[in-house]
């Protein structure tokens, strides 16, 4: 089992930056995929950025060139650097990890951190 704790959310003006952190309760070295998702009221949770165990990243088109995902295995943490923030980036941001097991992959989610971008 993995507990995830997100931090770094808050209120920022449009054009500003924030860095989100997601700290895991155990080693993330073998975790297949780590990702940041976001959700706004009435909408489904969407993938913002993901990173695999060998460092391959992918991003939603809406954040390409502005957001950067990274991971620090030693600190058991995944980060999301968000630059040039826009009002439409306002959402609750969640961290998710995919842990492989002999039978199937398991998903673990954090409780989320709120990002509010004022225009």
């Amino acid at each position: 089992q993995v507990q995830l704790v997100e931090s770094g959310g808050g209120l920022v003006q449009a054009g500003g930056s924030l860095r989100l952190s997601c700290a895991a309760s155990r080693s993330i070295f073998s975790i297949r995929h780590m990702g940041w998702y976001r959700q706004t009221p009435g909408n489904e949770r969407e993938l913002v950025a993901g990173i695999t165990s060998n460092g391959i990243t992918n991003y939603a088109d809406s954040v390409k060139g502005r957001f950067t995902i990274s991971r620090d295995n030693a600190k058991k943490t995944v980060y999301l650097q968000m630059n040039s923030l826009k009002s439409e980036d306002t959402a609750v941001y969640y961290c998710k990890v995919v842990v492989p097991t002999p039978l199937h992959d398991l998903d673990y989610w954090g409780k989320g951190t709120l990002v509010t971008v004022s225009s």
Side-chain angles (χ1 to χ4, degrees), residues 16 18 20 35-39 46-51 57-70 79-93 115 117:
L18 284 174
L20 305 183
W36 285 97
Y37 293 71
R38 66 187 180 189
Q39 188 171 26
E46 63 172 0
L47 176 67
V48 175
I51 185 167
T57 59
N58 64 295
Y59 297 91
D61 287 343
S62 59
V63 307
K64 282 180 181 177
R66 300 189 297 122
F67 290 11
T68 303
I69 189 171
S70 61
Y79 303 97
L80 185 68
Q81 178 66 44
M82 305 187 296
N83 299 328
S84 302
L85 282 161
K86 305 175 181 179
S87 57
E88 51 263 44
D89 295 318
T90 295
V92 178
Y93 284 72
V115 172
V117 183

Side-chain angles (χ1 to χ4, degrees), residues 10-102:
L11 175 64
V12 63
Q13 288 189 334
S17 299
L18 284 174
R19 189 177 80 153
L20 305 183
S21 299
C22 173
S25 61
R26 48 148 280 190
S27 171
I28 64 171
F29 184 78
S30 64
I31 290 179
R32 187 188 311 281
H33 186 271
M34 305 183 74
W36 285 97
Y37 293 71
R38 66 187 180 189
Q39 188 171 26
T40 54
N43 293 307
E44 293 187 356
R45 203 168 290 187
E46 63 172 0
L47 176 67
V48 175
I51 185 167
T52 65
S53 56
N54 53 5
I56 296 173
T57 59
N58 64 295
Y59 297 91
D61 287 343
S62 59
V63 307
K64 282 180 181 177
R66 300 189 297 122
F67 290 11
T68 303
I69 189 171
S70 61
R71 59 193 286 171
D72 186 330
N73 290 341
K75 294 184 178 180
K76 301 182 290 183
T77 301
V78 62
Y79 303 97
L80 185 68
Q81 178 66 44
M82 305 187 296
N83 299 328
S84 302
L85 282 161
K86 305 175 181 179
S87 57
E88 51 263 44
D89 295 318
T90 295
V92 178
Y93 284 72
Y94 298 89
C95 176
K96 187 187 93 168
V97 300
V98 180
V99 178
T101 72

